[in-house]
mmCIF file of all heavy atoms in Angstrom:
data_model
loop_
_atom_site.group_PDB
_atom_site.id
_atom_site.type_symbol
_atom_site.label_atom_id
_atom_site.label_comp_id
_atom_site.label_asym_id
_atom_site.label_seq_id
_atom_site.Cartn_x
_atom_site.Cartn_y
_atom_site.Cartn_z
ATOM 1 N N THR M 55 5.426 24.856 -32.735
ATOM 2 C CA THR M 55 5.788 23.515 -32.280
ATOM 3 C C THR M 55 6.114 23.605 -30.792
ATOM 4 O O THR M 55 7.022 24.341 -30.396
ATOM 5 C CB THR M 55 7.004 22.987 -33.052
ATOM 6 O OG1 THR M 55 6.682 22.924 -34.443
ATOM 7 C CG2 THR M 55 7.399 21.613 -32.568
ATOM 8 N N VAL M 56 5.371 22.869 -29.968
ATOM 9 C CA VAL M 56 5.476 23.001 -28.514
ATOM 10 C C VAL M 56 5.684 21.636 -27.866
ATOM 11 O O VAL M 56 4.978 20.675 -28.169
ATOM 12 C CB VAL M 56 4.221 23.661 -27.917
ATOM 13 C CG1 VAL M 56 4.424 23.929 -26.423
ATOM 14 C CG2 VAL M 56 3.869 24.952 -28.647
ATOM 15 N N PHE M 57 6.658 21.579 -26.969
ATOM 16 C CA PHE M 57 6.896 20.378 -26.167
ATOM 17 C C PHE M 57 6.566 20.688 -24.719
ATOM 18 O O PHE M 57 7.094 21.638 -24.141
ATOM 19 C CB PHE M 57 8.353 19.929 -26.290
ATOM 20 C CG PHE M 57 8.749 18.818 -25.349
ATOM 21 C CD1 PHE M 57 7.919 17.748 -25.105
ATOM 22 C CD2 PHE M 57 9.980 18.852 -24.703
ATOM 23 C CE1 PHE M 57 8.283 16.724 -24.243
ATOM 24 C CE2 PHE M 57 10.369 17.837 -23.843
ATOM 25 C CZ PHE M 57 9.508 16.772 -23.614
ATOM 26 N N THR M 58 5.680 19.897 -24.123
ATOM 27 C CA THR M 58 5.337 20.057 -22.714
ATOM 28 C C THR M 58 6.110 19.032 -21.895
ATOM 29 O O THR M 58 5.938 17.824 -22.069
ATOM 30 C CB THR M 58 3.827 19.841 -22.481
ATOM 31 O OG1 THR M 58 3.427 18.592 -23.056
ATOM 32 C CG2 THR M 58 3.012 20.966 -23.108
ATOM 33 N N GLY M 59 6.967 19.512 -21.001
ATOM 34 C CA GLY M 59 7.652 18.613 -20.092
ATOM 35 C C GLY M 59 6.663 18.014 -19.103
ATOM 36 O O GLY M 59 5.646 18.639 -18.766
ATOM 37 N N ALA M 60 6.933 16.780 -18.655
ATOM 38 C CA ALA M 60 6.055 16.147 -17.670
ATOM 39 C C ALA M 60 5.972 17.021 -16.427
ATOM 40 O O ALA M 60 6.995 17.390 -15.853
ATOM 41 C CB ALA M 60 6.578 14.762 -17.319
ATOM 42 N N SER M 61 4.753 17.381 -16.030
ATOM 43 C CA SER M 61 4.608 18.349 -14.945
ATOM 44 C C SER M 61 3.215 18.266 -14.348
ATOM 45 O O SER M 61 2.215 18.384 -15.063
ATOM 46 C CB SER M 61 4.853 19.767 -15.480
ATOM 47 O OG SER M 61 4.380 20.748 -14.588
ATOM 48 N N GLU M 62 3.139 18.068 -13.031
ATOM 49 C CA GLU M 62 1.860 18.133 -12.345
ATOM 50 C C GLU M 62 1.275 19.538 -12.425
ATOM 51 O O GLU M 62 0.064 19.721 -12.490
ATOM 52 C CB GLU M 62 2.021 17.711 -10.886
ATOM 53 C CG GLU M 62 2.065 16.216 -10.662
ATOM 54 C CD GLU M 62 0.750 15.560 -11.019
ATOM 55 O OE1 GLU M 62 -0.199 15.634 -10.219
ATOM 56 O OE2 GLU M 62 0.659 14.974 -12.120
ATOM 57 N N THR M 63 2.131 20.549 -12.424
ATOM 58 C CA THR M 63 1.661 21.927 -12.532
ATOM 59 C C THR M 63 0.915 22.141 -13.845
ATOM 60 O O THR M 63 -0.171 22.731 -13.868
ATOM 61 C CB THR M 63 2.850 22.903 -12.434
ATOM 62 O OG1 THR M 63 3.484 22.736 -11.165
ATOM 63 C CG2 THR M 63 2.386 24.344 -12.585
ATOM 64 N N LEU M 64 1.484 21.649 -14.950
ATOM 65 C CA LEU M 64 0.807 21.789 -16.237
ATOM 66 C C LEU M 64 -0.493 20.994 -16.269
ATOM 67 O O LEU M 64 -1.508 21.455 -16.810
ATOM 68 C CB LEU M 64 1.714 21.326 -17.375
ATOM 69 C CG LEU M 64 2.979 22.130 -17.670
ATOM 70 C CD1 LEU M 64 3.547 21.714 -19.031
ATOM 71 C CD2 LEU M 64 2.737 23.623 -17.646
ATOM 72 N N ARG M 65 -0.471 19.797 -15.703
ATOM 73 C CA ARG M 65 -1.680 18.966 -15.712
ATOM 74 C C ARG M 65 -2.792 19.599 -14.893
ATOM 75 O O ARG M 65 -3.938 19.727 -15.358
ATOM 76 C CB ARG M 65 -1.355 17.573 -15.164
ATOM 77 C CG ARG M 65 -2.540 16.608 -15.220
ATOM 78 C CD ARG M 65 -2.215 15.282 -14.567
ATOM 79 N NE ARG M 65 -2.072 15.388 -13.120
ATOM 80 C CZ ARG M 65 -3.104 15.403 -12.261
ATOM 81 N NH1 ARG M 65 -4.348 15.340 -12.707
ATOM 82 N NH2 ARG M 65 -2.877 15.486 -10.958
ATOM 83 N N LEU M 66 -2.475 20.004 -13.682
ATOM 84 C CA LEU M 66 -3.493 20.549 -12.786
ATOM 85 C C LEU M 66 -4.044 21.886 -13.280
ATOM 86 O O LEU M 66 -5.213 22.200 -13.063
ATOM 87 C CB LEU M 66 -2.908 20.717 -11.375
ATOM 88 C CG LEU M 66 -2.564 19.412 -10.649
ATOM 89 C CD1 LEU M 66 -1.759 19.709 -9.393
ATOM 90 C CD2 LEU M 66 -3.823 18.627 -10.315
ATOM 91 N N SER M 67 -3.219 22.668 -13.947
ATOM 92 C CA SER M 67 -3.645 23.979 -14.433
ATOM 93 C C SER M 67 -4.464 23.904 -15.714
ATOM 94 O O SER M 67 -5.118 24.869 -16.097
ATOM 95 C CB SER M 67 -2.423 24.863 -14.681
ATOM 96 O OG SER M 67 -1.637 24.327 -15.741
ATOM 97 N N GLY M 68 -4.415 22.763 -16.410
ATOM 98 C CA GLY M 68 -5.082 22.638 -17.700
ATOM 99 C C GLY M 68 -4.219 23.031 -18.873
ATOM 100 O O GLY M 68 -4.638 22.896 -20.030
ATOM 101 N N ILE M 69 -2.992 23.502 -18.600
ATOM 102 C CA ILE M 69 -2.108 23.949 -19.674
ATOM 103 C C ILE M 69 -1.663 22.773 -20.544
ATOM 104 O O ILE M 69 -1.585 22.889 -21.770
ATOM 105 C CB ILE M 69 -0.896 24.701 -19.096
ATOM 106 C CG1 ILE M 69 -1.358 26.016 -18.462
ATOM 107 C CG2 ILE M 69 0.158 24.974 -20.167
ATOM 108 C CD1 ILE M 69 -0.293 26.742 -17.668
ATOM 109 N N ASP M 70 -1.396 21.631 -19.933
ATOM 110 C CA ASP M 70 -1.002 20.451 -20.707
ATOM 111 C C ASP M 70 -2.082 20.093 -21.726
ATOM 112 O O ASP M 70 -1.785 19.825 -22.904
ATOM 113 C CB ASP M 70 -0.738 19.279 -19.772
ATOM 114 C CG ASP M 70 -0.135 18.093 -20.495
ATOM 115 O OD1 ASP M 70 -0.884 17.235 -20.986
ATOM 116 O OD2 ASP M 70 1.101 18.028 -20.567
ATOM 117 N N GLU M 71 -3.316 20.102 -21.293
ATOM 118 C CA GLU M 71 -4.427 19.798 -22.195
ATOM 119 C C GLU M 71 -4.552 20.855 -23.286
ATOM 120 O O GLU M 71 -4.782 20.532 -24.466
ATOM 121 C CB GLU M 71 -5.727 19.694 -21.396
ATOM 122 C CG GLU M 71 -6.936 19.293 -22.235
ATOM 123 C CD GLU M 71 -8.199 19.153 -21.402
ATOM 124 O OE1 GLU M 71 -8.153 19.447 -20.193
ATOM 125 O OE2 GLU M 71 -9.228 18.753 -21.971
#
Side-chain angles (χ1 to χ4, degrees):
T55 299
V56 186
F57 172 42
T58 52
S61 164
E62 280 295 282
T63 299
L64 294 194
R65 184 185 69 81
L66 293 169
S67 65
I69 293 171
D70 188 270
E71 184 178 4

